[in-house]
Amino acid sequence: MTSATGGPGAALARSVLFAGWSAETLATAAARFRPLTVYQGEAICVQGEPGDEMYVVETGRFAVEVGVAGRSVLLGEVGPGDVFGEISVVAHRPRSATVTALTSGRLWALNRAGFRELAIQFPSLGVTAGRLALARLEDTERQLANEPRAVLLLQPHQDSITIGRDERNDLVLDDPRVSRRHALLRRLGTTFQIEDLGSTNGIFVNGQRVERTTLADGDQIQIGGQVLRFDPSVLTHYARGRGAQVDAIDLVKIVGKGLTILNSVSLSVYPGELVAIVGGSGAGKTTLLNALSGVSPPTRGRVLYDGDDYYQHFAAYRQVLGYVPQDDIVHPELSVYRTLYYAARLRLPSDTSSAEIEDRIARVLDHLELTARRDTEVRKLSGGQRKRVSIGVELLTEPEVFYLDEPTSGLDPGLDLRMMELLRGIADQGRTVILTTHATRNVMLCDKVAFMARGGHLAFYGPPAEALTYFGVDDFVEIYRLLDADGAPEQASARFAVSEPFERHIASRLDAGAFAGAASQGADPPTGRARAIRTKRSGGPSWPRQLFWLTARYLSVLRGDRVALGMLLAAAPMIALVMGSTFDKHPFARTIDDGGDVSQAIALIYVVVAATIFLGSFVAARSIAEESAIYARERLVNLAIAPYVLSKVLALSLFALFQSAALVGVVAMRLEIPGGTRMLVDWFGVVALVSLASLGMGLVVSALSTNTLRAMLLHSLVINPQLVLCGALVPLKQLDEGTKLVSNMTIGRWGVSFLGYLNDVNDLFEAQMGSFVTNDYADQFDLEPQRVVAILVGMFLVFLVLTMLALKRRDAR
């Protein structure tokens, strides 16, 4: 490389850094450049070495290459007017690639000091150069995302190979979703078999989860967020980077009686891009986001992750995405730390140590600037801080793709900006970030903006600044007005579909993405060839582990709401005190002379059963409905329905048993219940059974409701027949057959009958009324105790099954 004489001439004027500069300013800039003559084969930059200069090409062609796993990958070529080397100058980083002259040529070099002086004099230069450097870094990472790297040669003498997060494995995968000892690759004669070693998140072969399977040449193995390609001699690793390319192809969503709310939408998002989906109400923003994320699949169309069909391999890819709905996905009663702690226990592999969890939580808190709020209850945080906690829950597992529904909703302009800057920072780490928003104040921070129009039409997709030019307006608000006119959505969609921005930002990307996706899987892409011995629906912790941590979390939630907890604990004793003050002291005495009163005895039994049903079902009716958003998000990750429901049962059963004991105990203190301790134990058993059955009924109500208000309304409707048709207010004998059938399906009917049987109400009736008054209660108080126990237990079990079925109906898949 030698110095040359002459001026930069047209080279600077053709470069992106100085486009649009006047001749006078170009002359000022050119004075700081140093001319260089280079020869064919000469290396101008070497990857990994420090650099102090950037270059503008005047003449010649230059190859840009990156070394990967001992070999060189060609990223592209640069020629006249192109710029290279700016990353080292702007970002003070070592050379990110090697640039070699393919022909002799002439360059103009600018060192770091000269660049700094020019950037001070002409601020636009610094901005343009910074964007160019960032774009090139992202483009490099994207091009290398599916570059195969041989990570382990399969030696003939090796009969088994362990894979996992622990450094003692033969193949170490540094990923929080990978268990310490995750998988075993075993040689069986001339074939290889891979086996899951009891990992938390499982093994996926060609998109299907397997416990054990024989591998074929070309099979793709996903472990956590890591992808390996198998052939009989080597395991090849596809380093996808921190993000994933997300492609949508002709997405259509039809609901109800043929109403289209998403209309043939296509777009493409690269790793490291921050994309905002904007538009007015009813434009299909959330519908598009849910279709991309898997929350609600489209009616037609395809979603591709790195060229792979997302919905065909849903169980595998659900591990690599983060989703933050508009509603908070955190419990307000928990502290910030406890929120992240329980999320880590439920999402990270079961062998993740406490020290690892503490370290990960500390890093997330630091990244989100929440360290000072570590021990603050979520309900005491500002709206922006609560949203950051929701994001922190997702960051624990280092997702590749982030979806956020209206993350800035309800925030003031200052917090809106801080939230967008936070998301910009997450995208700059290489993650794919897609959000919906009504606000357009800060969309210029985004790489791309998707303008949706009424009816789910895509009116534009591209850089925010380009959107203003495309629509010919000066403000994003004016775009809303343009798209709001009658017929405008259809016209805007049709216009964009044949536009140059569509070709550049969508069509060309989709073509390249489809090619890259096929290439990453080899000439013969996997088509589900895995011969699985046993498969599972999804990854995640085992049922016992989920049950333990879900129960612990729910108990913490109940304990965190001190007012509600106090009322929950005090309700039964207070109701019992009222009963004791209302009824005579000896309602169950056999004769009137002894103070007995059979009508009061029946009334007392009724009130005890009614109070038990209400107390047992009330909290349960809120338990699922009040955390619908949390349930939906965790279900999308790895939550199993059975442990979730059972965690509610275990936690609420403790309160149900306490309430039963308190109710019976306080009543027995104020009133005389014949039979001594044995009778009190029997009373407690009956009341506890009624309480548990009521708990199950409350869970069904909660599972059928998507919010607390609906749950309370449905609860009032369900509890009414329990109280009216229990056989105490009106004897069953006086009911018609249809009403009697309904009565037999209520908890109250069997609770009243059981307590009436225990206290021998029929005998009291005969002793006090004689043969002059017909005992219409006779049949309902004459029963077999074992049969009633079986009925109440059966009701409880049926309610649990109905709860699980109701939750199953919520699933998107």
Side-chain angles (χ1 to χ4, degrees):
M1 185 186 302
T2 62
S3 295
T5 60
L12 266 62
R14 288 202 303 267
S15 73
V16 66
L17 290 181
F18 302 97
W21 283 36
S22 67
E24 182 180 352
T25 52
L26 276 176
T28 302
R32 299 186 182 276
F33 278 81
R34 178 172 65 93
L36 298 172
T37 298
V38 296
Y39 301 98
Q40 183 178 357
E42 188 174 354
I44 294 86
C45 301
V46 178
Q47 182 181 355
E49 292 187 355
D52 185 59
E53 288 187 322
M54 57 186 292
Y55 307 93
V56 177
V57 181
E58 181 177 347
T59 61
R61 303 295 303 174
F62 302 82
V64 183
E65 300 172 298
V66 173
V68 179
R71 67 189 187 87
S72 183
V73 177
L74 178 65
L75 296 182
E77 296 183 8
V78 294
D82 287 331
V83 178
F84 65 88
E86 77 289 342
I87 293 174
S88 291
V89 173
V90 174
H92 292 242
R93 294 175 52 165
R95 298 297 190 188
S96 61
T98 297
V99 181
T100 307
L102 296 173
T103 66
S104 296
R106 183 180 172 90
L107 303 174
W108 291 91
L110 179 67
N111 62 29
R112 186 175 293 128
F115 172 81
R116 188 181 302 113
E117 292 171 0
L118 278 177
I120 293 173
Q121 187 176 0
F122 305 105
S124 63
L125 174 63
V127 174
T128 306
R131 288 178 176 172
L132 178 63
L134 180 61
R136 187 156 291 166
L137 281 171
E138 293 174 347
D139 190 56
T140 299
E141 182 174 327
R142 183 160 57 247
Q143 291 188 57
L144 294 176
N146 287 311
E147 279 297 325
R149 308 182 187 188
V151 291
L152 189 67
L153 294 175
L154 304 179
Q155 304 289 350
H157 63 274
Q158 278 186 293
D159 293 328
S160 63
I161 294 165
T162 58
I163 304 172
R165 194 176 77 248
D166 194 283
E167 293 183 356
R168 290 170 292 184
N169 288 287
D170 299 305
L171 176 57
V172 179
L173 299 178
D174 184 16
D175 187 317
R177 293 158 291 195
V178 175
S179 298
R180 290 186 183 278
R181 282 175 52 83
H182 198 111
L184 176 67
L185 188 64
R186 182 186 292 115
R187 187 191 300 271
L188 299 175
T190 59
T191 64
F192 280 89
Q193 187 179 84
I194 193 166
E195 178 182 349
D196 191 336
L197 295 178
S199 70
T200 298
N201 290 317
I203 302 170
F204 294 84
V205 176
N206 302 329
Q208 303 298 316
R209 180 163 182 174
V210 300
E211 291 292 321
R212 187 188 306 113
T213 187
T214 301
L215 296 173
D217 189 5
D219 276 348
Q220 182 171 288
I221 307 165
Q222 181 176 331
I223 298 177
Q226 311 300 310
V227 179
L228 305 171
R229 187 174 185 273
F230 171 82
D231 75 40
S233 61
V234 66
L235 280 178
T236 304
H237 183 212
Y238 289 90
R240 297 194 308 200
R242 287 188 171 186
Q245 180 171 337
V246 179
D247 297 323
I249 303 174
D250 291 328
L251 299 186
V252 175
K253 182 73 172 181
I254 302 174
V255 296
K257 298 180 179 180
L259 177 63
T260 300
I261 59 175
L262 201 62
N263 207 315
S264 297
V265 174
S266 297
L267 52 80
S268 179
V269 185
Y270 279 162
E273 284 189 330
L274 174 60
V275 174
I277 304 173
V278 301
S281 298
K285 301 185 300 297
T286 299
T287 303
L288 176 57
L289 190 80
N290 289 344
L292 294 173
S293 63
V295 172
S296 179
T299 306
R300 294 197 300 272
R302 300 176 67 202
V303 177
L304 306 180
Y305 275 32
D306 286 335
D308 243 358
D309 191 297
Y310 174 52
Y311 283 102
Q312 286 186 9
H313 305 126
F314 182 74
Y317 280 106
R318 70 196 300 181
Q319 298 180 24
V320 303
L321 67 87
Y323 178 79
V324 181
Q326 187 169 353
D327 297 327
D328 291 331
I329 55 171
V330 291
H331 293 90
E333 301 85 358
L334 298 179
S335 68
V336 173
Y337 170 78
R338 298 307 294 180
T339 297
L340 297 179
Y341 178 79
Y342 286 124
R345 286 297 186 186
L346 287 167
R347 296 192 185 190
L348 295 178
S350 57
D351 56 11
T352 306
S353 68
S354 296
E356 288 177 299
I357 288 176
E358 292 292 333
D359 177 66
R360 188 160 294 280
I361 291 175
R363 279 190 282 154
V364 168
L365 290 174
D366 181 63
H367 178 63
L368 298 176
E369 299 179 2
L370 288 171
T371 302
R373 298 287 186 176
R374 170 189 170 100
D375 298 319
T376 304
E377 292 178 354
V378 171
R379 61 187 165 193
K380 296 179 180 179
L381 300 177
S382 67
Q385 289 170 334
R386 287 198 303 272
K387 190 64 69 176
R388 276 187 275 160
V389 176
S390 295
I391 293 173
V393 168
E394 303 301 314
L395 283 178
L396 286 169
T397 54
E398 298 184 0
E400 297 176 7
V401 186
F402 244 120
Y403 295 100
L404 304 100
D405 191 9
E406 297 284 358
T408 61
S409 177
L411 302 183
D412 62 51
L415 291 176
D416 184 306
L417 176 59
R418 289 189 63 186
M419 180 61 67
M420 291 298 290
E421 288 175 339
L422 171 63
L423 299 178
R424 176 72 268 172
I426 292 173
D428 288 343
Q429 294 175 350
R431 307 184 200 281
T432 311
V433 182
I434 304 173
L435 64 110
T436 66
T437 182
H438 282 91
T440 54
R441 288 185 295 265
N442 300 301
V443 295
M444 292 301 289
L445 288 171
C446 299
D447 298 288
K448 299 286 190 301
V449 60
F451 259 99
M452 300 295 294
R454 191 176 55 254
H457 293 275
L458 180 64
F460 177 81
Y461 180 72
E466 192 174 315
L468 297 175
T469 303
Y470 177 82
F471 286 103
V473 297
D474 298 321
D475 190 281
F476 291 110
V477 175
E478 297 178 50
I479 300 177
Y480 282 86
R481 295 197 185 102
L482 289 174
L483 297 178
D484 197 42
D486 290 341
E490 294 80 3
Q491 294 173 12
S493 177
R495 175 195 170 200
F496 179 65
V498 295
S499 68
E500 188 275 336
F502 178 89
E503 178 64 31
R504 180 157 41 93
H505 300 305
I506 297 179
S508 62
R509 285 187 171 198
L510 292 180
D511 291 342
F515 174 78
S520 70
Q521 299 175 17
D524 183 17
T527 54
R529 296 185 301 245
R531 290 149 296 285
I533 292 177
R534 183 165 62 92
T535 65
K536 292 184 178 180
R537 178 185 179 275
S538 62
S542 63
W543 275 25
R545 176 178 170 81
Q546 282 198 3
L547 177 59
F548 176 83
W549 289 112
L550 286 168
T551 304
R553 184 178 69 179
Y554 190 51
L555 286 172
S556 295
V557 169
L558 292 173
R559 187 172 64 248
D561 192 344
R562 296 174 183 83
V563 175
L565 179 63
M567 294 177 63
L568 190 63
L569 296 177
M574 290 176 63
I575 292 173
L577 285 173
V578 173
M579 292 182 198
S581 302
T582 303
F583 292 93
D584 292 337
K585 186 171 179 60
H586 304 283
F588 294 107
R590 191 169 187 275
T591 65
I592 297 176
D593 293 339
D594 294 330
D597 187 336
V598 69
S599 61
Q600 279 207 19
I602 294 173
L604 175 61
I605 288 172
Y606 168 73
V607 173
V608 168
V609 171
T612 302
I613 293 173
F614 180 82
L615 291 173
S617 61
F618 181 75
V619 177
R622 296 169 52 95
S623 61
I624 298 173
E626 64 187 1
E627 54 182 44
S628 290
I630 298 173
Y631 170 82
R633 173 63 194 120
E634 293 182 341
R635 180 68 178 148
L636 190 63
V637 181
N638 57 24
L639 182 65
I641 293 176
Y644 177 76
V645 173
L646 292 177
S647 72
K648 303 297 184 188
V649 172
L650 287 179
L652 293 175
S653 292
L654 298 177
F655 292 95
L657 294 176
F658 168 80
Q659 289 170 337
S660 300
L663 196 64
V664 173
V666 175
V667 166
M669 289 172 58
R670 301 298 298 266
L671 305 177
E672 182 68 32
I673 300 179
T677 303
R678 175 59 187 272
M679 178 61 76
L680 293 181
V681 172
D682 289 345
W683 263 62
F684 170 76
V686 174
V687 172
L689 281 174
V690 170
S691 184
L692 290 176
S694 303
L695 188 161
M697 180 181 68
L699 290 176
V700 175
V701 168
S702 199
L704 292 171
S705 308
T706 55
N707 58 59
T708 305
L709 177 59
R710 291 183 182 179
M712 293 299 95
L713 291 174
L714 183 57
H715 177 256
S716 64
L717 293 175
V718 169
I719 204 171
N720 186 61
Q722 301 287 335
L723 307 181
V724 175
L725 301 179
C726 64
L729 301 179
V730 179
L732 299 182
K733 187 176 181 180
Q734 298 178 15
L735 302 178
D736 60 58
E737 290 303 317
T739 307
K740 190 181 297 185
L741 178 62
V742 175
S743 174
N744 286 334
M745 299 170 64
T746 65
I747 303 168
R749 180 261 191 268
W750 300 106
V752 168
S753 295
F754 206 162
L755 286 181
Y757 164 81
L758 287 178
N759 290 277
D760 204 358
V761 171
N762 284 339
D763 183 60
L764 298 182
F765 199 99
E766 183 178 350
Q768 296 175 20
M769 303 295 181
S771 58
F772 301 103
V773 179
T774 303
N775 181 9
D776 287 339
Y777 294 99
D779 291 340
Q780 65 193 68
F781 291 141
D782 184 15
L783 48 80
E784 297 178 9
Q786 296 85 352
R787 176 170 173 259
V788 179
V789 170
I791 289 173
L792 289 173
V793 171
M795 283 184 170
F796 172 65
L797 296 177
V798 168
F799 285 140
L800 292 191
V801 172
L802 291 176
T803 301
M804 295 180 192
L805 290 176
L807 290 176
K808 183 68 176 176
R809 287 189 61 189
R810 295 189 186 185
D811 285 354
R813 293 177 66 79

